[in-house]
């Protein structure tokens, strides 16, 4: 029987290699172990890379949509070719789920094929 207010999670699972310390903007996470410090550095770098990759993906999709709106089918097809590459790269690197990128590519291609 768990006491009132307890989460029911075993004590062993609640401990972490990262502790919470007060900082200038509230509570900051501070690593206590070398491995946790390294993981924090890796996560920071990976987050920046993924943000840039997702931004490139969104930009390429936006270019296809602009070409579709302008009514230029050849420009839209060219933009789709580069967008497909960006989306596939984002999916392979883990910045987006592969089903999401496949769905976006498919819907853009369908819109281009519908153009006169």
């Amino acid at each position: 029987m768990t006491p009132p207010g307890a989460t029911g999670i075993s004590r062993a699972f609640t401990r972490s290699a990262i502790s919470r310390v007060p900082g200038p903007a509230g509570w900051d996470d501070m690593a206590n172990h070398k491995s946790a410090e390294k993981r924090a550095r890796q996560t920071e770098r990976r987050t920046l890379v993924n943000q840039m990759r997702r931004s490139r993906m969104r930009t390429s999709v936006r270019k296809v949509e602009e070409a579709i709106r302008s009514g230029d089918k050849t420009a839209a097809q060219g933009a789709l070719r580069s967008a497909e590459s960006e989306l596939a790269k984002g999916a392979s690197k883990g910045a987006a789920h592969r089903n999401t990128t496949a769905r976006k590519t498919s819907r853009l291609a369908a819109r281009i094929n519908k153009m006169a």
Side-chain angles (χ1 to χ4, degrees):
M1 177 103 187
T2 56
T7 60
I9 299 172
S10 168
R11 180 89 177 138
F13 292 113
T14 58
R15 285 190 222 142
S16 167
I18 297 178
S19 65
R20 312 264 302 152
V21 294
W27 287 86
D28 293 332
D29 290 330
M30 186 179 84
N32 288 333
H33 301 293
K34 275 191 157 196
S35 59
E37 289 172 359
K38 181 178 179 180
R39 179 53 67 188
R41 287 193 308 269
Q42 290 173 336
T43 301
E44 205 172 305
R45 282 194 299 264
R46 184 62 26 213
T47 299
L48 290 174
V49 168
N50 283 338
Q51 282 175 347
M52 289 186 297
R53 192 167 280 128
R54 278 193 300 273
S55 177
R56 278 197 307 267
M57 289 166 54
R58 282 192 299 266
T59 301
S60 64
V61 169
R62 198 174 308 118
K63 286 180 182 176
V64 176
E65 290 173 340
E66 285 172 6
I68 290 171
R69 270 196 298 275
S70 72
D72 189 359
K73 189 169 185 172
T74 56
Q77 287 172 334
L80 177 64
R81 201 170 301 117
S82 63
E84 274 183 295
S85 173
E86 259 333 305
L87 289 169
K89 211 177 292 182
S92 71
K93 301 293 183 183
H97 196 276
R98 61 189 172 94
N99 289 356
T100 304
T101 59
R103 183 180 64 246
K104 285 181 185 293
T105 303
S106 175
R107 288 180 181 173
L108 288 171
R111 285 171 61 190
I112 290 172
N113 288 337
K114 229 193 290 186
M115 291 173 73

